[in-house]
Amino acid sequence: MGHMWRILFLTTLLVWQCQGFLQEGKWLYNITTADTGYNLYLPQSLYKGAQTFVQINCEPPHGTDVSLSIELAIVPLPCWDFVDAIKQAQKLIASSQSTNTSYIFKMSKTIQCMDHFILDGTPLGKDEKSLHKTSHPIYAVQHDGFYILFFQLVSNTSGAHVNVQMEMKSEYGYLSAADWPLLPFYGFMCVFYVFLGIMWLFFSFMQWRDLLRVQFWIGGVILLGMLEKATFYAEYQSINTTGVRVQGAMLFAEWVSCAKRTLARMLVVIVSLGFGIVKPRLGATLHRVVGVGLLYFFLACSEAYMRIIHPKNDQSKDLLVASVPLAVLDSAICWWIFSALVNTTRTLKLRRNEVKLALYRHFTNTLIFSLVASVFFMMYSIKTHRLVSCLSVWKDLWLDEAYWHILFSCLLLVIMILWRPTNNNQRYAFVPLLDTEDDEEEAQLVNDAYGVKVRVHHNSNKHPPKKEKSVEDDLQWLQDHIKSEPTLSILDSDEEIVNTRFEVSKMQ
């Protein structure tokens, strides 16, 4: 069992480490010139045909003639690594006076400080057109790849205010090549969740008289999943159209996702505990479920904030530190789920309820399949994207984020099928154990559960001879009166009644 806990921890740790904040396609820098100059490094993954645009607005000091020396270069990088990209750019600065064959584009120009200036590069081909309506691109890349745009600005006078606007745009928009596949993916997932919500609402309306309480939890997860996918799609579509990200909107989308993940884990926990199926209420366990859910939501929101402020290719150790507490808690929740499933399945076996037992067997098999699928994908992702000195398959990075959405959606779909609203919902609902059952059958259940012998006392119409009262008489009186009160049986679950009678038998 200890090995399983480690697997769960590593799996959940990978889930949060694989995701990162998506990259922009438009940048605006406000620069005040100084004697030391100014350098910019912009790494970006681009598809073939992506174009780069640079515009400069300069406001010189009053009565001063200012000239700007501009150097601009585009260099392809073989590896997906932000740190490596910066090192490559620094090498370019050191070798700026010599010929460097790693350039695919290089421009050096001296201009006078004026209100508006647009840099133009090589002319476009006959079959190419500018993706910007008012400017000409400085360069259009010829191959898919990971590139870094290096920009250096040197002025002969300090104090000039320069605004530099840079754009990297492909035919589909401003999103980077590594992020763009997530745009249609979230669009599809949004439509998928809308379909699930409509179907669940329809079947719930048809069987509204016989709905189980757990089915309302499922509806809440579907609603939050629909909202999560819609917010992510809106954010990706906004960046793809404008090229600028709105950090507040992205935080809102991430926190909605945290709320959905929290509610989903609480749903799986209460289902595993047998709420509404085996137990009429959770009692004190409900407070633990809510407490763990609030803790998970807080840690998930904190981790999401730390994660989205880092680019995807940033290998900073801060992301690992922020993910560890959440991974530990998530692993503990998974351990709780499987432990509760073992206890619930054991109880159903003792009651010989084949209908509910088959339901929980399917649910357990689904969770085991999800765990195995997570471990296999984790091993693939670590081997392909982590344990490599040079990450060249950056086009598959979007799968590290999309896979977990797909896996959760499949798990949710199975839960919806198993707990779907039907005419025979009450077959799966909790039914309290009344006193119509034979005492000998109950005794046999206790014998099977604990492997001990229990003395069963039958009521008799004959009045026993009077004798002095003892502790045994008091226990017998308590047992007889408990059995004659049906309201107590309704309040307690089957398992509680069996345990109570077993304890009473030991005292006899």
Side-chain angles (χ1 to χ4, degrees):
M1 299 297 281
H3 295 293
M4 181 181 292
W5 190 91
R6 296 187 188 97
I7 292 174
L8 292 172
F9 171 74
L10 292 175
T11 302
T12 51
L13 183 61
L14 175 69
V15 172
W16 311 124
Q17 277 299 293
C18 68
Q19 301 176 358
F21 201 30
L22 67 163
Q23 295 173 288
E24 296 177 297
K26 182 186 294 185
W27 302 268
L28 180 62
Y29 297 94
N30 297 317
I31 304 171
T32 300
T33 59
D35 297 335
T36 56
Y38 191 84
N39 300 325
L40 290 175
Y41 315 99
L42 298 177
Q44 187 78 312
S45 55
L46 301 172
Y47 284 127
K48 177 182 178 180
Q51 299 175 0
T52 303
F53 304 87
V54 178
Q55 299 182 20
I56 299 175
N57 293 327
C58 184
E59 181 181 347
H62 182 70
T64 305
D65 186 14
V66 179
S67 62
L68 302 177
S69 298
I70 299 172
E71 183 173 352
L72 194 145
I74 299 177
V75 182
L77 299 177
C79 303
W80 174 274
D81 188 356
F82 181 78
V83 177
D84 183 68
I86 296 298
K87 293 180 179 179
Q88 292 284 349
Q90 293 174 348
K91 292 180 180 179
L92 292 178
I93 297 175
S95 59
S96 58
Q97 301 300 327
S98 61
T99 303
N100 195 317
T101 57
S102 63
Y103 293 111
I104 61 170
F105 174 80
K106 184 177 180 181
M107 171 188 292
S108 298
K109 183 173 293 188
T110 301
I111 62 174
Q112 296 298 318
C113 186
M114 60 184 68
D115 292 339
H116 186 70
F117 187 83
I118 300 176
L119 295 181
D120 288 337
T122 57
L124 296 175
K126 296 181 180 180
D127 56 344
E128 295 179 317
K129 62 179 180 179
S130 176
L131 300 177
H132 200 289
K133 296 181 180 179
T134 59
S135 61
H136 190 277
I138 61 172
Y139 187 75
V141 298
Q142 303 301 316
H143 304 282
D144 300 345
F146 183 56
Y147 299 88
I148 184 170
L149 174 64
F150 165 65
F151 179 84
Q152 185 180 56
L153 177 67
V154 179
S155 174
N156 63 343
T157 303
S158 61
H161 298 284
V162 182
N163 296 325
V164 180
Q165 178 176 312
M166 299 184 180
E167 301 180 20
M168 292 183 180
K169 187 176 183 181
S170 299
E171 294 181 356
Y172 56 80
Y174 286 101
L175 278 175
S176 66
D179 291 323
W180 184 83
L182 290 172
L183 177 62
F185 170 76
Y186 281 124
F188 170 79
M189 293 300 296
C190 184
V191 175
F192 177 73
Y193 268 84
V194 170
F195 174 76
L196 292 183
I198 293 175
M199 295 299 296
W200 191 257
L201 186 63
F202 173 77
F203 287 112
S204 299
F205 177 77
M206 295 296 294
Q207 308 295 334
W208 65 274
R209 294 180 181 272
D210 300 322
L211 289 179
L212 304 177
R213 281 170 289 185
V214 70
Q215 291 169 340
F216 290 98
W217 285 74
I218 297 175
V221 174
I222 296 173
L223 179 62
L224 283 178
M226 187 188 314
L227 181 60
E228 175 200 28
K229 300 303 183 292
T231 51
F232 274 121
Y233 177 77
E235 180 63 23
Y236 274 72
Q237 184 64 43
S238 174
I239 294 179
N240 190 53
T241 304
T242 63
V244 180
R245 66 191 179 197
V246 181
Q247 188 168 354
M250 197 63 188
L251 278 174
F252 174 75
E254 287 287 345
W255 288 345
V256 170
S257 178
C258 294
K260 189 264 296 183
R261 299 201 307 266
T262 301
L263 186 61
R265 280 155 177 78
M266 294 174 65
L267 169 64
V268 177
V269 168
I270 65 172
V271 167
S272 302
L273 291 171
F275 174 66
I277 305 295
V278 178
K279 299 179 180 179
R281 64 192 185 279
L282 294 179
T285 308
L286 179 61
H287 301 290
R288 291 196 292 269
V289 173
V290 174
V292 170
L294 292 176
L295 179 61
Y296 181 88
F297 180 74
F298 173 76
L299 292 178
C301 290
S302 302
E303 185 274 339
Y305 175 78
M306 293 296 298
R307 171 167 40 88
I308 65 177
I309 63 177
H310 293 81
K312 284 191 175 184
N313 52 352
D314 189 355
Q315 303 296 328
S316 175
K317 298 300 182 181
D318 296 340
L319 296 178
L320 180 62
V321 174
S323 301
V324 167
L326 185 62
V328 171
L329 180 59
D330 213 354
S331 301
I333 293 175
C334 292
W335 179 264
W336 189 11
I337 290 171
F338 282 101
S339 300
L341 278 175
V342 170
N343 295 331
T344 302
T345 305
R346 181 186 304 153
T347 302
L348 291 175
K349 287 181 179 179
L350 294 176
R351 296 181 185 178
R352 299 171 185 171
N353 193 325
E354 296 298 332
V355 175
K356 295 180 182 180
L357 185 58
L359 176 71
Y360 271 87
R361 280 174 177 169
H362 290 304
F363 181 62
T364 304
N365 293 335
T366 301
L367 291 182
I368 294 175
F369 170 79
S370 300
L371 177 62
V372 173
S374 300
V375 171
F376 274 101
F377 183 78
M378 175 190 68
M379 296 173 62
Y380 160 78
S381 182
I382 291 178
K383 180 179 181 299
T384 307
H385 300 153
R386 300 292 177 180
L387 301 180
V388 290
S389 58
C390 179
L391 178 58
S392 58
V393 290
W394 54 266
K395 289 184 179 181
D396 297 335
L397 284 176
W398 70 277
L399 291 174
D400 283 352
E401 184 171 341
Y403 178 82
W404 304 106
H405 292 278
I406 296 174
L407 185 62
F408 173 79
S409 300
C410 294
L411 179 60
L412 178 61
L413 184 60
V414 172
I415 294 177
M416 290 174 59
I417 295 175
L418 293 177
W419 276 271
R420 64 192 181 278
T422 58
N423 292 327
N424 57 353
N425 266 350
Q426 297 307 319
R427 297 179 64 192
Y428 302 100
F430 170 78
V431 178
L433 180 64
L434 300 178
D435 290 324
T436 57
E437 297 187 23
D438 187 52
D439 289 339
E440 294 183 0
E441 184 178 352
E442 279 189 32
Q444 183 63 34
L445 289 178
V446 177
N447 290 337
D448 295 340
Y450 299 97
V452 297
K453 294 182 179 181
V454 180
R455 287 179 288 177
V456 179
H457 298 273
H458 298 277
N459 293 331
S460 176
N461 294 328
K462 297 180 180 181
H463 296 281
K466 293 183 179 181
K467 60 180 179 179
E468 188 177 356
K469 291 185 178 181
S470 63
V471 177
E472 293 184 2
D473 295 333
D474 293 337
L475 292 174
Q476 182 65 34
W477 180 90
L478 181 62
Q479 182 179 6
D480 294 339
H481 281 73
I482 289 178
K483 292 175 63 176
S484 63
E485 292 291 337
T487 55
L488 294 178
S489 298
I490 294 175
L491 290 177
D492 293 329
S493 66
D494 299 356
E495 186 179 6
E496 291 171 349
I497 293 176
V498 173
N499 291 336
T500 301
R501 294 186 177 180
F502 173 65
E503 294 297 332
V504 171
S505 66
K506 290 195 299 184
M507 296 177 64
Q508 295 176 354

